[in-house]
């Protein structure tokens, strides 16, 4: 399936290659560079590129291009999903997946890549199996290894590989048994000029950090599970029980993982937690006026924090001179992007920014106003109204410490002006 | 190579310059430097060699790490081969692993030296450690040295009988490797594949199918026997295997089952066939089918077909996008049309994933949406473009929005498009204009509006926008002309307007379009046309080729219609063209001259010139780029590229007559073992509780009884005759497990080679074997629970098992989840080993319900549930009701409709979507709900206040109403800043219901309970065209928010739902008898039942 993998940095340097079948010369990447040079931004590179004898499927992540070479028909999502999992694994192992880290850890990276695929077909992709095969290096272990002469590579097959729950290793022991669940919801919205919502969706996920000894069997129930009608689960969740009883029952992997993600679509009503009042105008000759204020709306009494606005101005804008009453703003004269960092919204003093825009002399006035991207975070609230009812544990005797956190964030939250 | 500093210096600065593999600037930059130290380099490599030759492990490791660094970077390290290969015997695992990595990279280039390592691998293949066996096989099969092909073949054959599933998995991976090395071995490899396909562990299944797909995809006959097993195992296979298996099963289904949509295809002549690439062929099919229509039986889905669809459905909730997509394409290609819709939701969910995933999913949706608008219509807004999307994603979304446009939704889509035109991304803006053109051409109602809009765009400042609109307007006018035979008079000013612009537009395509149009409609602008030609002639030599050709055309056409004014101009242009650099233009000029300005010996054609040039031309067809994409299977590489990729296999058409379904039958007992096996596995996964398994037929009850019997008969007979089909291990399992327990080990042992198999017989049980045997024990115990066996026998079993009981328990500990009790209760466990799982003793009391649920979910039919789960609506009505009239509301008009979605305010509420339109001449302020006059029990959740409704603006708002299962309307006030209006939302009973899934037997049971007063029935005469299932279900869905219950009875259609407020079941059944239909509605709430029956009757009798 997957023949070879090349990792390329932004400068066009192929700094790592791995072949699972016969060797393919790295000159194959020239096709990729050719397409890349035509794209305006790295994001615009099409994910699938056809060359006379090979097909290049690539992803762009953490400033790196991962280019997989395939020679025959293969579901493209299969490869894309795999490449993203590779990056996820790197992040899991090394904390991040930047070029520097990968170069520094090249031996582990290479061992991982070798273990993940066999003949181009996934062999071991589960994080905890890999971690047993190839131990993540940390300073302590490095020292211990040099002292004892042991290595990072395991000599026995991880138990998970053969069991029906490959995601959990056996013999887990903690002194403090704890299970934390973060319910994170991102609001994607398009708000039109007049302030009414054109489209709004919620993308939610439940990230869990479970550090429990032994083989706990957890059951998570929600107050209002009917909200969730489109979701995806970690393989550990018993789907039948969800279908029948609307409870999430699972034996958790050890450590951090994404338990489930859900999507609340445009057909449902989505509360919009902030509003923008804006007045942006361009005038012939001099420039224009810019006046935007932000206020909370439908926040159920919670404060809106980490608010920031990003305004991509048209290319003909030279500079902006603005005065915010809260926070501060920066203007990038190259990309023409103005960012206004507000912080938390104080309802008694609504944040406002106003001032003038100067245009290039002679350039025609822009025909459209910029689309403003809004960022915010609201703690202690899930905007969909989802609430955890309780978490029960079976199969183990101890009392675990349990915690749930709710966060609402802005996803692609855009206001057209 | 600034970043090189981060990389381990030692590894990278030692490299020799790249020989053949290197390319790219970075390498070139280092070349001069390193080549000047060429000698030094050799020395450094010597250094590495020395390190490898020492007997200190850490030095070796260090050296290997540096070498791997070179390999990773793509530098040539082949000259170190002799030094490295020696270390293949190293005891240090990490060194060994790195040597393996090195070997797979370079063995192909150094074949002779690589042979030195072979014996080590052969020895390792016999190692007691399964990981070592597996990795030896991996490397052995990866080194691509043709000489060792026989050795590889032998090792694969041996490994596929290995007791560790992990090793068997590796063997499956090795098969395609060997096949690519020597395709002649195909037949032998097929034998091995056949064996692996029969493997019952989930770990092996995916890899075995992958080997099958790469080596012998045409041998579909190998799948028959394993089909049901694969379907049943599917959920437990790891996600990557799932993708491969589903893809293979899609092809299988297309060759083995008949088209589930066959009936529809005949009845809806007008609708195009969905499947198949070749339309002509399809037509033939249709005709053929029509011929034998009278004798045709109604379609009944093969139970195996249903099994596949049902078992794949839960995978739509996978976290892996590739799995979701694979299921989606399976449904698209193989499911009945009515069921395909449910994949839409999951695909929409994927859109929030990484942008690459988004791109692939969108392009697949684009193809689906061409043929199946309805599927994605409810999700229209999910395709709205965000300004931050990459361009290719934007274009795909645009494509989909255009495909989805219908009479009702088009106005919102066009409004959305208007904002896109002003986008700073000009490629996107231009594509939007084209999209508007396509909408205008497909939906005649809006053509004029669009045309006007496009004309307005012609005065846009941006040139690309103007040019694109000109091109689109040209196409639209041309199409209108064909419809009305002449261009309507009002379009004359558009042409005049465009003619005036001709000189200002510089984009060649647009100029050419304008000129063509003036030529074509020169009779509409007789004064302007010659003048345009004059100006063009003046500037002829500076024009682009495409424009020049159109100038020639214009000249020719004008010369025919108005030769008095233009003949000279025309000649002038032809003369200029005669000496043009482009031969096309020269040719065209020569050709036209002969026709238009014939010389003395005028050709015979000259007199037909008018007919030739001014003939009515066929209008261009504006259609989706994705229109013929569906010739490719969805979710494939070929589909994304829109060309056939290497190794792409056409998706076969459904056969006319289904091939013999009995080939999939396996002997009854074996099937049972497979089943219980599955049960056992599941049980382990789900809490390790065992309860006497209800004996179930292999098939679900949903399928007809007779069929079951038939099958059993067949299977019985085959059982007798068919003795050696299955491999020995299965037989062992099927017959009597007790003996098996003791027998197995010796048997296995005999297969193995003696040297490593010492006296440690019972202790040295590999964990895999433990697993197997424990499974078997589970089975055994189940069976003893099921059918009481002689006590003596079970004690015998116990003694047989006790020798490794400890180990089994050990395993249970690791494998099963709920049973940590085992630890302290080991004694109890041993004593009570007749009870399947010790944990059950301790905890059965409170975990029993869980188990019951599990069991019900395990039955293959999935039909035992009292589980009536609420599902998504199958149909979303678009019917709107008026709430407030424009006149009474003083310009404010409100309509409402029921969205049938779950109200977020309360589960008991129906979601009502209000559409408020202000058609007065001043804004309406502060629209909100005022006083409510409600019956007791009813509730209203207000929509958020609308601050300002501008002139002409339309806003939608959602409110929730709990009608408390009555038919009383909800009356309340809508207040604006100035006035208040009393309005009433009527409650059609059908909207107070929500659909629930239930199985047919459950349906029948509940229907039985709700008889007498709770039953309302009646008959209706239906128009003949309404009697197909599709129409009936549509009619029912229009009236009530219910979902169809899959039914096995002919001509009876069942639907289920429950009321929103009280949750009372609502069951509808429609029994067809010719044109008569007997309707039955059962509901505890009598009012609802009778009202619903009335509504249904009305709906059924109405004609389209």
């Amino acid at each position: 399936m997957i023949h070879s993998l090349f990792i390329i940095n932004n400068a066009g340097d192929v700094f790592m290659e791995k072949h699972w079948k016969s060797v393919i010369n790295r000159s194959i990447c020239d096709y990729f560079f050719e397409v890349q040079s035509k794209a305006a931004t790295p994001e615009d590179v099409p994910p699938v590129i056809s060359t006379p004898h090979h097909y290049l499927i690539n992803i762009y992540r953490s400033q790196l291009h991962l280019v997989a070479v395939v020679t025959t028909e293969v579901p493209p999502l299969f490869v894309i999903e795999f490449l993203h999992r590779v990056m996820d694994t790197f992040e899991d192992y090394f904390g991040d997946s930047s070029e520097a880290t990968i170069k520094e850890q090249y031996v582990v990276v290479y061992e991982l890549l070798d273990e993940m695929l066999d003949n181009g077909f996934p062999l071991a992709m589960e994080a905890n199996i890999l971690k047993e095969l190839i131990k993540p290096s940390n300073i302590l272990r490095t020292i211990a290894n040099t002292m004892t002469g042991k290595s990072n590579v395991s000599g026995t097959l991880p138990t998970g590989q053969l069991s029906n729950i490959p995601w959990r290793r056996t013999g887990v022991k903690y002194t403090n048994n704890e299970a934390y669940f973060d319910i994170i919801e991102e609001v994607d919205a398009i708000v039109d000029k007049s302030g009414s919502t054109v489209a709004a969706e919620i993308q939610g996920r439940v990230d869990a950090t479970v550090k429990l000894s032994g083989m706990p069997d957890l059951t998570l129930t929600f107050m209002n599970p009917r909200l969730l009608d489109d979701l995806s689960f970690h393989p550990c969740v018993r789907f039948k029980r969800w279908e029948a009883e609307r409870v999430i029952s699972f034996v958790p992997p050890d450590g951090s993982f994404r338990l489930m993600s859900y999507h609340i679509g445009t057909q449902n009503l989505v509360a919009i937690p902030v509003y923008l009042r804006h007045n942006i105008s361009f005038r012939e000759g001099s420039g224009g006026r810019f006046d935007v204020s932000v206020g909370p709306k439908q926040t159920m009494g919670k404060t809106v924090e980490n608010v920031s606005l990003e305004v991509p101005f048209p290319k003909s804008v030279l500079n902006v001179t603005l005065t915010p009453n809260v926070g501060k703003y920066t203007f990038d004269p190259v990309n023409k992007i103005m960012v206004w960092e507000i912080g938390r919204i104080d309802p008694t003093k609504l944040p406002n920014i106003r001032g003038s825009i100067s245009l290039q002399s002679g350039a025609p006035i822009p025909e459209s106003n910029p689309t403003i991207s809004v960022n915010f975070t609201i703690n202690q609230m899930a905007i969909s109204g989802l609430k955890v009812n309780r978490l029960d544990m079976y199969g183990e005797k101890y009392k675990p410490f349990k915690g749930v956190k709710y966060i609402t964030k802005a996803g692609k939250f855009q206001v057209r002006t | 190579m600034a970043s090189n500093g981060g990389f381990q210096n030692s590894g990278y600065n030692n490299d020799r310059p790249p020989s053949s593999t290197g390319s790219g600037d970075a390498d070139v930059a280092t070349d001069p430097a390193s080549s000047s130290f060429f000698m030094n380099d050799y020395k450094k490599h010597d250094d590495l060699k020395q390190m490898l030759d020492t007997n200190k492990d850490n030095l070796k490791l260090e050296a290997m790490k540096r070498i791997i660094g070179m390999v990773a970077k793509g530098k040539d390290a082949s000259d170190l081969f002799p030094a490295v290969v020696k270390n293949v015997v190293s005891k240090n695992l990490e060194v060994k692993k790195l040597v393996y990595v090195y070997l797979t990279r370079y063995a192909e280039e150094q074949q002779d030296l690589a042979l030195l390592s072979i014996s080590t691998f052969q020895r390792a293949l016999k190692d007691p450690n399964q990981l070592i066996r597996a990795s030896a096989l991996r490397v052995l099969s990866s080194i691509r040295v043709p000489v060792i092909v026989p050795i590889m073949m032998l090792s694969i054959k041996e490994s596929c009988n290995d007791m560790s599933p992990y090793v068997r998995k590796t063997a499956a991976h090795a098969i395609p490797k060997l096949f690519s090395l020597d395709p002649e071995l195909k037949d032998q490899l097929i034998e091995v594949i056949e064996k692996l396909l029969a493997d019952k562990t989930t770990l092996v299944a995916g890899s075995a199918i992958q080997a099958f797909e790469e080596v012998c995809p045409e041998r579909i006959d190998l799948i028959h026997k394993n089909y049901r097993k694969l379907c049943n195992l599917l959920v437990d296979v790891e996600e990557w295997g799932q993708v491969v298996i589903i893809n293979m099963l899609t092809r299988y289904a297309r060759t083995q089952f008949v088209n589930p949509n066959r009936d529809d295809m005949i009845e809806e002549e007008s609708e195009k066939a969905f499947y198949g690439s070749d339309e002509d062929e399809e037509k033939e099919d249709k005709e053929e089918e029509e011929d034998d229509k009278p004798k045709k039986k109604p379609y009944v889905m093969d139970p195996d077909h249903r099994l596949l669809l049902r078992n794949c459905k839960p995978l739509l909730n996978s976290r892996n996008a590739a799995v979701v997509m694979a299921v989606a394409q399976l449904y698209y290609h193989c499911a009945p049309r009515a069921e395909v819709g449910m994949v839409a939701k999951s695909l929409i969910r994927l859109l929030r994933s990484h942008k690459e995933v988004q791109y692939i999913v969108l392009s697949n949706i684009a193809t689906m949406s061409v043929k199946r608008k309805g599927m994605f219509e409810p999700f229209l807004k999910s395709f709205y473009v965000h300004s931050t999307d990459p361009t290719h994603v934007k274009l795909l979304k645009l494509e989909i929005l255009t495909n989805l446009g219908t009479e009702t939704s088009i106005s919102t889509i066009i409004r959305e498009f208007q904002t896109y035109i002003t986008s700073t991304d000009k490629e996107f803006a231009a594509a939007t204009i084209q999209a508007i053109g396509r909408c205008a051409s497909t939906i005649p109602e809006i053509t004029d509006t669009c045309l006007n809009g496009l004309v307005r765009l012609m005065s846009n400042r941006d040139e690309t926008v103007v040019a694109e609109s000109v091109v689109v307007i040209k196409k639209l006018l041309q199409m209108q002309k064909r419809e009305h035979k002449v261009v309507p008079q009002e379009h004359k000013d558009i042409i005049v307007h465009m003619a005036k612009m001709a000189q200002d537009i510089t984009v060649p395509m647009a100029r050419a379009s304008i000129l063509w149009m003036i030529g074509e409609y020169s009779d509409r602008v007789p004064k302007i046309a010659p003048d345009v030609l004059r100006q063009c002639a003046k500037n002829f030599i500076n024009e682009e080729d495409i424009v020049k050709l159109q100038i020639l055309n214009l000249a020719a056409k004008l010369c025919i219609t108005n030769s008095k004014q233009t003949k000279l101009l025309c000649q002038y242009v032809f003369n200029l063209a005669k000496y043009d650099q482009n031969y096309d233009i020269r040719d065209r000029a020569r050709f036209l001259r002969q026709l238009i300005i014939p010389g003395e010996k005028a050709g015979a054609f000259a007199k037909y010139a008018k007919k030739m040039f001014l003939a009515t031309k066929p209008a261009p067809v504006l259609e989706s780029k994705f229109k013929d994409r569906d010739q490719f299977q969805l979710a494939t590489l070929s589909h994304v590229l829109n060309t056939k990729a290497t190794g792409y296999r056409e998706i076969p058409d459904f056969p006319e007559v289904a091939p013999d379904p009995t080939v999939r039958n396996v002997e009854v007992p074996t099937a049972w073992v497979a089943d219980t096996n599955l049960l056992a596995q599941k049980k382990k996964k789900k809490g390790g509780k065992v309860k006497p398994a209800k004996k179930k037929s292999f098939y679900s009850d949903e399928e007809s009884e007779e069929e079951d019997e038939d099958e059993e008969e067949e299977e019985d007979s085959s059982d007798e005759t068919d003795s050696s089909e299955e491999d020995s291990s299965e037989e062992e399992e099927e017959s009597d497990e007790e003996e098996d327990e003791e027998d197995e080990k010796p048997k296995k042992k005999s297969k193995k080679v003696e040297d490593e198999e010492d006296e440690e017989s019972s202790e040295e049980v590999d964990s895999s074997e433990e697993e197997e045997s424990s499974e078997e024990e589970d089975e055994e115990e189940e069976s003893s629970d099921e059918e009481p066996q002689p006590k003596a026998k079970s004690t015998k079993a116990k003694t047989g098992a006790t020798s490794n009981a400890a180990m089994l328990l050990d395993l249970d500990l690791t494998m099963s989840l709920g049973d940590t009790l085992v630890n302290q209760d080991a004694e109890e466990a041993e004593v009570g080993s007749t009870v399947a799982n010790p944990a059950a003793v301790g905890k059965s009391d409170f975990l029993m319900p869980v188990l019951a649920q599990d069991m019900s979910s395990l039955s293959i039919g999935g039909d035992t549930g009292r589980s009536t789960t609420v599902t998504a609506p199958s149909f979303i009505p678009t019917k709107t009701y008026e709430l407030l009239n424009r006149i009474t509301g003083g310009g404010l008009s409100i309509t409402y409709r029921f969205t049938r979605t779950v109200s977020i305010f309360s589960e008991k509420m129906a979601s009502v979507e209000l559409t408020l339109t202000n058609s007065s001449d001043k804004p309406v302020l502060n629209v909100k709900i005022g006083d409510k006059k409600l019956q007791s029990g009813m509730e209203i959740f207000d929509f958020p206040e609308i601050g300002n409704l501008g002139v002409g603006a339309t806003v939608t708002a959602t409110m929730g109403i709990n009608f408390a299962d009555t038919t009383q309307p909800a009356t309340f006030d809508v207040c604006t800043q100035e006035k208040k209006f009393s309005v009433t939302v009527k409650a059609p009973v059908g909207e107070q219901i929500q659909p629930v899934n239930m199985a047919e037997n459950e349906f029948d049971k509940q229907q039985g309970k709700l008889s007498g007063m709770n039953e309302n029935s009646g008959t209706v005469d239906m128009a003949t065209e309404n009697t197909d299932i599709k129409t009936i279900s549509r009619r029912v869905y229009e009236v009530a928010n219910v979902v169809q219950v899959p039914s096995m009875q002919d001509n009876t259609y069942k639907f289920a739902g429950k009321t929103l407020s009280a949750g009372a079941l609502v069951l509808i059944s429609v029994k067809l008898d010719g044109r008569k239909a007997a309707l039955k509605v059962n509901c505890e709430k009598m009012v609802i039942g009778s009202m619903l029956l009335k509504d249904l009757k009305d709906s059924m009798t109405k004609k389209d």
Side-chain angles (χ1 to χ4, degrees), chain B residues 566-768:
Chain B
T566 54
K567 186 153 187 189
L568 280 173
L569 266 175
C570 180
Q571 259 171 338
Y572 173 70
V573 173
F574 285 173
N575 282 334
L576 283 177
K578 197 172 169 182
Y579 300 106
D580 200 88
Q581 285 186 319
N582 186 306
Y583 49 77
D584 275 343
I585 293 169
R586 293 198 301 272
D587 283 355
R588 178 75 64 90
R590 209 172 301 138
F591 159 73
L592 290 174
R593 181 188 291 272
Q594 287 307 316
L595 291 170
I596 306 296
I597 317 170
E600 294 86 59
K601 35 179 183 141
F605 287 117
K607 52 178 172 280
Y608 298 114
K610 187 166 185 174
K611 276 191 182 159
M612 283 184 206
F613 286 99
L614 298 176
T616 349
K617 281 112 191 147
V621 188
L622 300 176
E623 59 186 14
S624 169
K625 278 179 290 197
F626 285 82
K627 193 164 176 293
D628 357 291
R629 283 265 182 119
D630 66 341
Q631 58 175 307
F632 297 109
Q633 187 177 355
L634 288 182
T636 59
L637 191 60
S638 309
H639 174 266
V640 172
L641 295 169
N642 203 13
T643 52
K644 238 180 219 178
T646 328
Y648 173 74
R649 283 182 294 274
E650 292 277 348
I651 178 155
D653 272 336
F654 283 108
E656 276 295 294
V657 182
D660 182 17
T662 54
V663 289
R664 284 183 290 276
N665 290 348
V666 270
E667 309 89 287
V668 165
T670 320
W672 245 111
V673 171
D675 264 3
T676 36
N677 219 341
L678 181 76
L679 283 174
Q681 274 174 21
K682 287 243 182 170
K683 234 172 286 143
K684 276 190 194 153
K685 200 163 159 189
K686 308 210 167 171
K689 301 292 140 0
V690 175
K691 190 185 123 178
K694 263 185 279 169
K695 190 146 189 168
K696 271 267 156 53
S697 66
F698 184 65
Y699 276 103
S700 67
D701 310 357
E702 265 178 61
E703 284 107 38
S704 64
E705 294 275 63
E706 309 103 20
E707 213 169 320
D708 260 2
E709 280 167 25
D710 283 354
E711 220 160 275
E712 264 162 326
E713 271 166 35
E714 274 166 76
E715 282 162 346
D716 284 348
S717 60
S718 70
D719 196 21
E720 287 163 52
T721 52
D722 190 346
S723 57
S724 59
E725 273 265 38
E726 296 296 319
D727 63 352
S728 59
S729 68
E730 270 179 42
E731 276 174 60
E732 284 167 24
E733 281 166 313
E734 66 186 282
S735 53
D736 53 354
E737 289 91 342
E738 293 87 324
E739 282 170 35
D740 180 5
E741 199 63 59
E742 294 145 315
D743 282 356
E744 192 177 59
K745 256 169 256 153
K747 261 193 196 172
K748 285 233 166 100
K749 239 188 280 171
S750 64
K751 280 181 208 150
K752 292 182 92 191
V753 194
E754 297 83 1
D755 59 358
E756 42 92 28
E757 194 69 35
D758 303 320
E759 290 85 308
E760 25 176 1
S761 60
S762 65
E763 279 83 14
E764 189 257 359
V765 187
D766 202 61
S767 70
S768 69

Side-chain angles (χ1 to χ4, degrees), chain A residues 174-417:
Chain A
Y174 289 102
T175 40
N176 293 324
N177 288 298
E178 46 195 20
Y180 296 107
F181 295 87
D182 293 358
I183 297 182
I184 302 162
E185 295 194 337
E186 291 186 358
V187 187
D188 287 1
I190 303 177
V191 176
D192 75 1
K193 252 192 182 79
S194 63
S196 55
T197 314
V198 177
E201 300 177 294
I202 296 171
Q203 183 68 33
R205 52 179 201 262
V206 179
D207 285 347
T209 304
V210 178
K211 293 180 174 171
L212 297 175
S213 317
M215 275 287 168
D217 192 344
L218 303 180
T219 307
L220 185 69
T221 50
F222 292 106
M223 306 270 263
N224 35 10
R226 280 190 60 210
L227 278 174
L228 307 171
D229 116 283
D230 180 24
L231 16 66
S232 69
F233 291 118
H234 190 275
C236 69
V237 177
R238 292 166 191 135
F239 184 68
K240 295 278 183 189
R241 279 201 69 188
W242 165 256
E243 270 201 317
E245 302 166 49
R246 303 273 133 172
V247 298
I248 305 210
S249 148
F250 59 102
V251 175
D254 186 35
S256 300
F257 63 100
R258 177 154 305 165
L259 179 64
M260 57 182 271
S261 50
Y262 55 92
H263 177 249
I264 295 177
T266 47
Q267 293 157 308
N268 300 58
L269 185 90
V270 173
I272 301 293
V274 296
Y275 70 88
L276 246 63
R277 211 163 270 149
H278 49 81
N279 182 11
I280 305 170
S281 59
F282 296 104
R283 256 168 292 130
E284 202 71 66
S286 56
R289 297 284 310 155
F290 185 88
D291 184 347
V292 172
S293 36
V294 190
K297 175 179 155 189
Q298 293 177 304
T299 59
M300 304 175 199
K302 303 281 191 288
T303 26
V304 188
E305 292 167 75
N306 295 336
V307 183
S308 71
L309 259 57
E310 196 181 294
V311 189
F313 280 105
K315 294 286 168 255
S316 55
V317 169
L318 259 188
N319 203 353
V320 291
T321 329
L322 305 171
T323 33
N325 68 348
V326 181
K328 54 181 178 213
Y329 81 97
T330 49
F331 180 74
D332 173 0
V334 181
N335 298 319
K336 318 282 184 194
I337 293 172
M338 193 278 283
V339 179
W340 177 28
E341 302 277 356
I342 301 170
R344 81 171 41 223
I345 296 183
D346 177 4
T348 56
K349 182 189 168 201
L350 291 185
N352 172 277
I353 189 168
R354 65 178 77 197
S356 62
I357 306 165
S358 54
L359 289 170
Q360 253 159 6
S361 56
I365 61 164
E367 54 182 313
S368 64
N369 286 337
T371 300
I372 302 176
S373 304
V374 185
N375 263 308
F376 57 81
T377 320
I378 306 170
N379 286 317
Q380 325 281 309
M381 177 183 89
I383 196 90
S384 67
L386 189 72
K387 270 212 157 57
V388 169
N389 186 20
R390 53 183 295 146
L391 177 77
D392 297 307
M393 187 181 73
Y394 304 102
E396 294 288 338
K397 282 259 161 99
Y398 53 82
K399 273 254 169 290
F401 186 80
K402 303 178 270 195
V404 181
K405 199 164 81 180
Y406 300 92
I407 302 174
T408 298
K409 285 182 187 170
K412 292 180 190 163
F413 193 103
Q414 304 195 324
V415 181
R416 295 175 177 162
T417 60

Side-chain angles (χ1 to χ4, degrees), chain B residues 821-868:
Chain B
L821 275 186
V822 176
N823 231 343
Q824 65 254 40
D825 295 353
E827 250 177 283
E828 181 199 341
E830 221 170 315
V831 175
S833 72
T834 35
V835 182
N837 196 319
V841 181
K843 298 209 166 175
S844 52
D845 44 5
F846 67 93
L847 271 176
M848 253 2 210
V850 178
L851 177 72
Q853 198 50 57
D854 280 351
M855 297 305 286
S856 75
S857 64
L858 286 173
S859 72
I860 302 158
D863 53 355
T864 37
R866 294 165 302 279
S867 49
T868 46

Side-chain angles (χ1 to χ4, degrees), chain B residues 131-281:
Chain B
L131 184 66
I132 293 179
R133 286 203 302 277
S135 50
L137 181 63
R138 259 182 83 187
V139 185
L140 185 68
S141 57
S142 299
I143 55 179
R144 292 178 297 276
V145 178
V147 191
I148 60 156
V149 161
I151 301 178
M152 271 168 78
M153 190 69 221
L154 225 93
S155 332
I156 291 176
K157 278 185 175 164
E158 212 162 278
S159 302
C160 80
N161 290 326
D162 199 288
M163 34 186 186
S164 158
Y166 184 71
V167 177
R168 296 203 296 271
K169 188 184 175 75
T170 319
H173 287 165
I175 293 171
K177 299 184 207 168
L178 181 54
F179 179 66
S180 68
L181 210 56
D182 186 1
E184 307 245 302
L185 289 171
K186 187 168 174 179
D187 291 338
Q188 289 187 55
L189 286 174
I190 289 178
E191 279 172 36
V192 183
I193 290 174
E194 207 173 346
K195 200 175 286 173
L196 286 171
L197 284 177
D199 203 298
K200 282 186 293 295
T201 46
T202 50
L203 194 63
V204 184
S207 305
I209 294 294
Q210 175 61 20
F212 169 83
E213 288 282 80
E214 284 188 40
V215 177
C216 53
E218 71 285 349
R219 289 291 304 276
I220 209 94
D221 57 297
L222 295 181
I223 303 299
H224 294 319
K225 287 267 179 252
N226 301 300
Y227 175 82
R228 288 172 191 158
K229 182 195 72 189
L230 282 173
C231 287
N232 289 323
L233 287 183
L234 194 57
V235 191
D236 293 322
V237 175
E238 37 89 45
E239 42 198 12
W240 310 99
Q242 284 171 348
V243 178
V244 180
I245 295 177
I246 295 173
N247 278 330
M248 190 277 295
L249 289 178
T250 307
R251 239 168 8 119
Y252 183 87
R254 287 293 287 243
T255 54
Q256 301 298 320
F257 305 127
V258 290
N259 188 348
N261 297 317
R262 202 171 53 176
D263 295 353
D264 302 359
M265 270 161 64
I266 303 161
E267 274 148 38
E268 297 159 32
E269 293 289 34
S270 57
E271 215 170 321
K272 274 190 201 155
F274 282 154
Y275 295 118
S277 46
D278 195 348
E279 279 192 37
D280 292 353
E281 216 176 88

